[in-house]
Amino acid sequence: MSVTAVPRRARLTRRLIQLYVGLALYGASSALLVRAGLGLEPWGVLHQGLAERTGLSIGVVAIIVGAAVLLLWIPMRQRPGLGTVSNVFAIGLAMDGTLALVPETHGLPARIVIMVAGIALNGVATGLYIAARFGPGPRDGLMTGLHRRTGRSVRLVRTAIEVAVVATGFLLGGSLGVGTVLYALSIGPLAQLFLRFFAVPEAEPADKTVAPAPGSGTTAVTVRPSEEAILPQ
């Protein structure tokens, strides 16, 4: 058995756990913002607006929208990963599950606490599932695909998408408020912080055999990567 076999499996296990815990927490954080009633994240505004119009649960709408956005990857030749497909289903299911467990909140102080908790938890969730490196979510892939297709900056493309999403969701009846603004201002720094915190170390390459120089009279030596730096050159 390779010396690195166990560490590689351990890394894969950790990455899978991070992916699904992160997606579940993302859905839970979106549900908390719904319960706070002080404004949702941009795509949440659209999901809520569509849920109001269709009578479907907001989690089911999130799944349908995620699948529809994923179809837009086809003409842009984007390649989904495990995290991309999982994102479509896991977030919506976790969102509906959390809404079923967390009751309606009354009183402004309690709603503010839930809003702040939802935004903070969203930052943790974002760091977890992105750091797992199983592919971007459907909506993030749409942003990067349009960036490559149009040549516009990522910032401009993301802003245009989210403005369109928020405006459409609001017109459909989605909740737009202080939570939306606070989310927009804080999610970048929070995601960056937790991406570093949850980063999975790169795997060491497998051991390699160093061949002796011709005529040296020495034998081949198997060297671990951590030892390479001290080998004579």
Side-chain angles (χ1 to χ4, degrees):
M1 182 178 68
S2 170
V3 174
T4 59
V6 174
R8 286 177 186 274
R9 285 201 296 269
R11 285 182 66 256
L12 178 59
T13 300
R14 172 181 167 177
R15 290 172 61 207
L16 286 168
I17 291 172
Q18 278 197 202
L19 171 64
Y20 289 108
V21 169
L23 293 176
L25 291 180
Y26 196 102
S29 68
S30 296
L32 290 179
L33 292 176
V34 171
R35 285 291 183 245
L38 295 173
L40 306 181
E41 74 278 17
W43 284 93
V45 177
L46 176 62
H47 298 156
Q48 189 180 52
L50 287 171
E52 292 285 337
R53 296 288 181 171
T54 61
L56 299 173
S57 72
I58 191 169
V60 170
V61 169
I63 292 172
I64 294 171
V65 170
V69 171
L70 190 54
L71 290 176
L72 295 176
W73 284 33
I74 297 173
M76 294 187 292
R77 298 181 181 177
Q78 293 275 88
R79 296 180 63 183
L82 174 64
T84 310
V85 178
S86 299
N87 184 297
V88 172
F89 299 99
I91 291 178
L93 293 173
M95 194 172 184
D96 276 351
T98 304
L99 287 171
L101 294 173
V102 178
E104 294 283 348
T105 305
H106 304 286
L108 184 59
R111 292 167 64 197
I112 291 174
V113 169
I114 290 179
M115 176 191 70
V116 172
I119 292 172
L121 186 61
N122 194 278
V124 174
T126 300
L128 276 167
Y129 89 79
I130 292 180
R133 301 197 309 276
F134 279 109
R139 298 155 186 84
D140 294 326
L142 175 64
M143 173 189 69
T144 55
L146 287 174
H147 158 66
R148 285 199 298 268
R149 284 289 184 173
T150 64
R152 304 293 183 180
S153 70
V154 171
R155 179 180 300 179
L156 177 60
V157 171
R158 176 166 183 166
T159 299
I161 291 173
E162 294 196 347
V163 167
V165 164
V166 168
T168 303
F170 180 70
L171 291 174
L172 291 172
S175 176
L176 184 64
V178 64
T180 311
V181 176
L182 185 59
Y183 179 92
L185 294 175
S186 60
I187 193 58
L190 284 172
Q192 184 175 14
L193 170 65
F194 289 110
L195 271 168
R196 292 175 179 172
F197 187 80
F198 294 117
V200 180
E202 294 290 339
E204 278 195 344
D207 300 351
K208 69 179 184 180
T209 299
V210 179
S216 65
T218 60
T219 58
V221 179
T222 299
V223 184
R224 294 183 180 181
S226 57
E227 296 170 341
E228 289 191 65
I230 59 173
L231 283 176
Q233 301 299 315

